[in-house]
RNA sequence: GGCGGGGUGGCAGAGUGGUUAUGCAGCGGCCUGCAAAGCCGUGUACAGCGGUUCGAUUCCGCUCCCUGCCUCCA
């Protein structure tokens, strides 16, 4: 049996996954900054790590899954201020919306969802430790900075060196910094902003220290997997390494995983271009019953390290493929049984997933199994299909209900009327009813023996 | 300028030194009152130019093109 292999951004190669503690895995994923609804690109990243966690569990690991919530940040303060809403009330709403979006996408609830504002103490401890080690200093403006050139490994994740970074410096240099690359750990309080008392004076944390503190508190100084979006490699993850390893003098993370971007067509999705859809916006446009799994399927059928283009056509395409899988399960009732890993297609699925979560190949195995189910009408194989899909969060719905979707029309009455017409050999009437239903997005399927199934197109 | 990721059949998307990826769409057939679903069959894709090799889409070099990060960002 193939071992699980993970592409580690730190080493830029696939490595066999060896957890710190046999049989266990700790994973930390950078969650949202809750200043708005998440967009479909964010949804991709979260879906990817949901897949990772599910596969680790399916592989027998006892997983501790941590995904934080950044609930104090410039953008949050700006939004709350412009809405004239207290920050706490604003973030309560945005967090609730995030939870709702995750549920619609059938994402697992993490074992822990630390919020930055509840971990100020650990953050300050970390900053104090950094200061005592000479890695942090207080600027003239009251901010506390991390001293990048005092941390020897800086740049090892993103493969950048300080000289190149300085040459590429494009931002007005903060006068209080000793080095333009130094980043803020603690921001001195400003009027009208939330702040917490500290040995450095009242203030609030910088973004990077939040993740170092929360991950360390939840998973320990060293843990197995840290995930996030591709763009977080630099500076965010680089800075996390500097902070955590600087303070603890221990390796921070063994496997760094980064999910590639979802693009809008062939353009980068960006808030400044305004070319993005929120996850809920997309879900609202899909069938209420099928939409969540359809979007999830769309997001995961490409490899997580490859960029993916978002277009309505591709979303439809994914929906058609997914409905095909459910159609097989509707035709052949699935037997309840654990996965039989000795089946060649199950082994292929497992090997693909173990090869750095190669979902395209894993889904290919599922599709081949679907054809096998249709050919053999074997309940055992249907059960295998359903169980394999279940390992990564798919195909668990009732097929009949899934395929009928959120149809509100009284289809059954029309189907009965058509059956009567057919019996009377009034095919014109029967076909008219079918055309009428088709116009409403409903497809009829006559079964041998006279029964008629229907599904949403 | 520094560092990085890519160019695969109509579309999407894996993978491999020589054998069918897979899906969607299309086409032909079976089935069907007709459809739908399903099954069967079907498409000589691997940016270009050199090189290595018995043989390269798959390794090496060069060229062209697209694209990400270096600033908040999934």
């Amino acid at each position: 049996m193939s071992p699980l292999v993970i592409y580690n951004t730190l080493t830029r190669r696939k490595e066999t996954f060896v957890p710190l503690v046999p049989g266990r895995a700790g994973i930390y994923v950078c969650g949202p900054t809750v200043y708005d609804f998440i967009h479909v690109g964010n949804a991709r990243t979260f879906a990817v790590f949901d897949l990772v966690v599910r596969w680790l569990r399916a592989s027998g690991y006892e997983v501790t899954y941590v995904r934080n919530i950044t609930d104090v940040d410039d953008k949050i303060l700006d939004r709350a201020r412009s809405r004239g809403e207290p920050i706490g009330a604003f973030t309560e709403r945005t967090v609730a919306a995030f939870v709702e979006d995750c549920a619609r996408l059938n994402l697992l609830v993490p074992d822990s969802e630390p919020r930055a504002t509840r971990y100020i103490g650990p953050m300050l401890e970390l900053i104090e430790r950094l200061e005592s080690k000479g890695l942090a200093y207080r600027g003239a403006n009251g901010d506390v900075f991390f001293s990048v050139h005092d941390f020897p490994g800086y740049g090892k994740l993103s493969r950048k060196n300080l000289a190149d970074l300085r040459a590429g410096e494009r931002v007005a240099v903060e006068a209080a910094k000793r080095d333009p690359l130094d980043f803020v750990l603690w921001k001195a309080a400003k009027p009208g902003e939330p702040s917490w008392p500290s040995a450095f004076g009242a203030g609030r944390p910088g973004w990077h220290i939040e993740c170092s503190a929360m991950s360390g508190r939840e998973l320990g100084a060293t843990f197995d997997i840290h995930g996030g979006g591709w763009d977080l490699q630099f500076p965010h993850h680089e800075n996390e390494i500097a902070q955590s390893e600087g303070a603890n003098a221990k390796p921070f993370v063994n496997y760094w995983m980064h999910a590639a971007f979802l693009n809008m067509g062939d353009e980068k999705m960006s808030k400044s271009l305004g070319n993005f859809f929120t996850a809920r916006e997309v879900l609202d446009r899909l069938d209420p019953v099928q939409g969540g799994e359809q979007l999830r399927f769309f997001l995961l059928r490409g490899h997580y390290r490859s960029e993916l283009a978002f277009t309505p056509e591709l979303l439809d395409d994914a929906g058609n493929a997914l409905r095909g899988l459910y159609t097989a399960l509707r035709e052949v009732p699935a037997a309840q049984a654990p996965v039989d890993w000795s089946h060649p297609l199950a082994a292929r699925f497992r090997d693909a997933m173990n090869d750095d979560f190669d979902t395209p190949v894993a889904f290919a195995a599922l599709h081949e199994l679907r054809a096998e189910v249709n050919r053999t009408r074997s309940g055992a194989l249907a059960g295998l299909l359903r169980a394999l899909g279940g390992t990564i969060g798919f195909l668990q719905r009732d097929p009949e209900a899934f395929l009928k979707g959120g149809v509100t029309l009284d289809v059954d009455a029309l189907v009965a009327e058509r059956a009567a017409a057919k019996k009377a050999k009034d095919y014109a009437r029967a076909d008219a009813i079918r055309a009428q239903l088709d116009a409403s997005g409903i497809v009829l399927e006559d079964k041998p023996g006279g029964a008629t199934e229907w599904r949403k197109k």
Side-chain angles (χ1 to χ4, degrees):
Chain A
M1 177 170 129
S2 56
L4 174 61
V5 163
I6 296 177
Y7 182 88
N8 189 351
T9 310
L10 195 59
T11 57
R12 305 281 165 95
R13 52 172 35 131
K14 290 182 187 176
E15 297 174 349
T16 299
F17 179 62
V18 181
L20 284 170
V21 179
R24 296 183 158 224
I27 177 167
Y28 182 92
V29 177
C30 287
T33 297
V34 287
Y35 68 98
D36 202 347
F37 299 130
I38 60 165
H39 63 224
V40 274
N42 300 308
R44 182 191 189 183
T45 298
F46 299 136
V48 162
F49 290 104
D50 180 81
L51 174 96
V52 168
V53 169
R54 286 177 191 268
W55 184 246
L56 286 168
R57 289 193 175 138
S59 303
Y61 291 100
E62 192 177 308
V63 180
T64 303
Y65 174 27
V66 182
R67 188 186 59 206
N68 76 291
I69 289 173
T70 295
D71 60 353
V72 55
D73 161 274
D74 290 340
K75 272 184 275 202
I76 293 173
L77 302 184
D78 289 347
R79 286 294 172 98
R81 192 177 294 139
S82 68
R83 288 164 175 271
E85 194 173 359
I87 290 150
F90 175 71
T91 55
E92 278 313 309
R93 277 199 305 112
T94 50
V95 168
F98 174 61
V99 169
E100 199 176 285
D101 290 342
C102 288
R104 291 175 76 177
L105 279 163
N106 188 215
L107 300 182
L108 297 167
V109 176
D111 299 298
S112 165
E113 289 186 89
R115 295 194 196 185
T117 51
R118 298 175 187 170
Y119 286 71
I120 302 293
M123 293 175 202
L124 286 167
E125 269 172 44
L126 210 50
I127 298 171
E128 281 164 29
R129 211 145 11 117
L130 288 170
E131 188 184 41
S132 72
K133 294 193 172 192
L135 289 167
Y137 62 92
R138 304 180 195 211
N141 63 352
D143 290 353
V144 181
F145 297 99
F146 186 94
S147 178
V148 159
H149 85 263
D150 289 312
F151 180 73
Y154 196 78
K156 68 182 178 183
L157 176 68
S158 52
R159 305 268 167 122
K160 296 178 187 305
N161 64 62
L162 294 177
D164 291 342
L165 283 168
R166 289 191 181 103
E169 187 66 49
R170 291 196 261 138
V171 175
V173 176
E174 167 63 62
K177 291 182 185 179
R178 288 180 191 162
D179 184 309
L181 297 174
D182 289 349
F183 57 91
V184 69
L185 297 166
W186 187 254
K187 299 182 186 189
K190 294 189 183 66
E193 291 187 353
S195 67
W196 289 262
S198 85
F200 309 102
R204 61 187 169 93
W207 177 39
H208 311 300
I209 199 69
E210 297 178 3
C211 283
S212 278
M214 290 187 277
S215 64
R217 183 53 74 99
E218 298 300 302
L219 293 169
T222 303
F223 57 94
D224 297 301
I225 300 171
H226 189 131
W230 196 257
D231 56 328
L232 259 30
Q233 286 173 50
F234 187 88
H236 187 234
H237 291 338
E238 198 68 70
N239 292 352
E240 281 187 52
I241 293 174
Q243 294 163 332
S244 294
E245 299 194 350
N248 301 325
K250 287 178 186 167
F252 177 40
V253 167
N254 287 143
Y255 302 86
W256 282 93
M257 292 184 69
H258 295 278
F261 271 113
L262 179 70
N263 299 319
M264 278 313 267
D266 49 11
E267 278 190 316
K268 184 192 170 182
M269 187 182 300
S270 90
K271 302 251 165 158
S272 55
L273 286 170
N275 63 340
F276 66 91
F277 292 120
T278 62
R280 54 183 47 207
E281 210 173 348
V282 171
L283 288 167
D284 285 345
R285 260 183 261 168
L286 298 173
D287 181 89
V289 173
Q290 302 179 355
E293 189 164 351
Q294 180 179 346
L295 178 55
R296 181 188 167 83
F297 184 74
F298 165 76
L299 293 171
L300 293 176
R301 70 181 178 153
H303 188 89
Y304 78 92
R305 282 189 288 115
S306 297
E307 290 187 3
L308 186 64
F310 180 88
T311 68
E313 293 75 24
L314 293 173
L315 200 52
D316 286 347
D317 180 294
N320 289 339
L322 179 63
R323 282 187 284 273
L325 294 171
Y326 267 111
T327 301
L329 293 176
R330 186 193 61 184
E331 295 305 306
V332 184
Q336 282 293 136
V339 174
D340 170 14
W341 293 110
S342 70
H343 187 100
L345 289 172
R348 186 157 170 236
F349 178 93
R350 183 196 57 208
D351 290 347
M353 289 302 296
N354 278 342
D355 181 15
D356 194 33
F357 310 95
D358 192 349
T359 49
V361 172
F363 283 124
L366 256 30
H367 283 115
E368 286 179 17
L369 190 53
R370 158 205 179 189
E372 198 64 29
V373 167
N374 285 326
R375 271 193 295 270
T376 62
R377 307 195 63 85
S378 153
L381 287 179
L384 181 60
L385 174 60
R386 187 169 189 276
L388 282 175
T391 62
I392 53 176
F394 287 100
L395 306 180
Q396 299 308 292
R397 312 286 293 280
D398 172 63
E400 178 88 19
F402 181 88
L403 290 168
K404 286 185 173 174
V407 171
T408 49
L409 201 67
D410 187 357
V411 179
D412 293 333
L414 287 163
V415 165
E417 192 185 335
R418 174 170 168 274
K422 275 179 63 175
K423 198 166 184 181
K425 300 251 194 275
D426 182 358
Y427 292 121
R429 177 65 192 143
D431 290 351
I433 293 170
R434 187 168 63 198
Q436 180 195 339
L437 285 167
D438 185 73
S440 305
I442 289 152
V443 183
L444 300 184
E445 298 174 12
D446 291 339
K447 297 292 160 191
T452 296
E453 293 266 21
W454 61 270
R455 66 188 161 85
K456 187 161 181 188
K457 239 196 292 194

